[in-house]
Amino acid sequence: VIFTFHFGLLQAQENAEKTLADQRFQQALKVFSANFDSTEIYLQQAVSLYQKADDWEGVVKCYAGLASLSGYQGKYVQRDSLTKLNFELAQSKVDPTDEAYAAAMNNYAFSLKGKGDYDGAIHYFQKALANNLKLGNKLYIATNYSNLGVILRGKGDYDEALEHFKEAYRYYV
């Protein structure tokens, strides 16, 4: 009986922390473009709370937000470091069928693209696309096709790029 009671208290605490983490994440989204400092604080608070709640999808989602924020602030080394951490956490802690996993693959692909590793970027954009096709999220599918089109165009593969842009358009409409 004592074990069950203690386990129930731990479960309730994890649920409360996850709820509070969700609130912090939503607050960060609301102020993202208006106040970078507040956004960073909310995201860091959410990371800590998601970790306590053992919600790794939430942690990955927050690190993606922190990486994006760093990019907007021109902190590219920090952005790349956070993107790599986000990618590693997604690979080790998140279900590969989860939306957060696909987003981590997409963000990592962008990081590789920025470093000139187009083949690596294509690989991870394709992984993100495969996951998003399974999940059925049309906006993310369209985005992945578009990202692939941009990379292929940059490599001079114009015909293949055009096919990816057409697929992106098909999912956008």
Side-chain angles (χ1 to χ4, degrees):
V1 169
I2 293 173
F3 174 76
T4 304
F5 177 73
H6 182 67
F7 181 75
L9 285 177
L10 287 175
Q11 193 68 26
Q13 183 179 1
E14 280 184 6
N15 289 341
E17 287 167 343
K18 182 177 177 345
T19 300
L20 187 54
D22 289 340
Q23 290 171 353
R24 291 292 185 266
F25 185 78
Q26 291 304 317
Q27 287 171 316
L29 292 179
K30 286 180 185 175
V31 299
F32 189 88
S33 62
N35 188 331
F36 289 151
D37 291 337
S38 294
T39 301
E40 186 172 6
I41 290 167
Y42 288 137
L43 287 171
Q44 288 174 342
Q45 289 173 346
V47 165
S48 178
L49 292 162
Y50 280 131
Q51 285 173 330
K52 287 179 185 175
D54 201 30
D55 181 342
W56 292 100
E57 289 85 3
V59 171
V60 166
K61 180 173 63 173
C62 288
Y63 276 122
L66 286 165
S68 293
L69 180 64
S70 295
Y72 281 111
Q73 294 173 310
K75 300 175 183 176
Y76 302 115
V77 172
Q78 182 177 340
R79 179 202 58 200
D80 288 346
S81 175
L82 287 166
T83 298
K84 187 172 193 250
L85 174 61
N86 183 43
F87 173 73
E88 290 168 352
L89 282 172
Q91 286 192 301
S92 65
K93 301 275 192 180
V94 177
D95 180 349
T97 62
D98 190 89
E99 195 173 279
Y101 184 89
M105 297 301 112
N106 188 67
N107 294 341
Y108 188 63
F110 265 115
S111 179
L112 293 174
K113 175 187 174 269
K115 294 176 182 177
D117 182 358
Y118 297 123
D119 291 333
I122 288 170
H123 174 75
Y124 286 104
F125 278 136
Q126 288 172 335
K127 284 185 81 157
L129 175 61
N131 277 23
N132 283 320
L133 285 166
K134 288 177 190 171
L135 294 168
N137 185 320
K138 290 184 177 187
L139 178 60
Y140 291 150
I141 293 168
T143 301
N144 292 142
Y145 274 121
S146 180
N147 291 341
L148 282 163
V150 168
I151 295 280
L152 292 165
R153 184 184 63 202
K155 286 184 67 174
D157 296 334
Y158 300 113
D159 292 338
E160 193 175 350
L162 181 59
E163 292 307 312
H164 282 80
F165 288 132
K166 286 178 182 177
E167 281 298 306
Y169 178 76
R170 189 169 73 86
Y171 280 95
Y172 275 127
V173 291

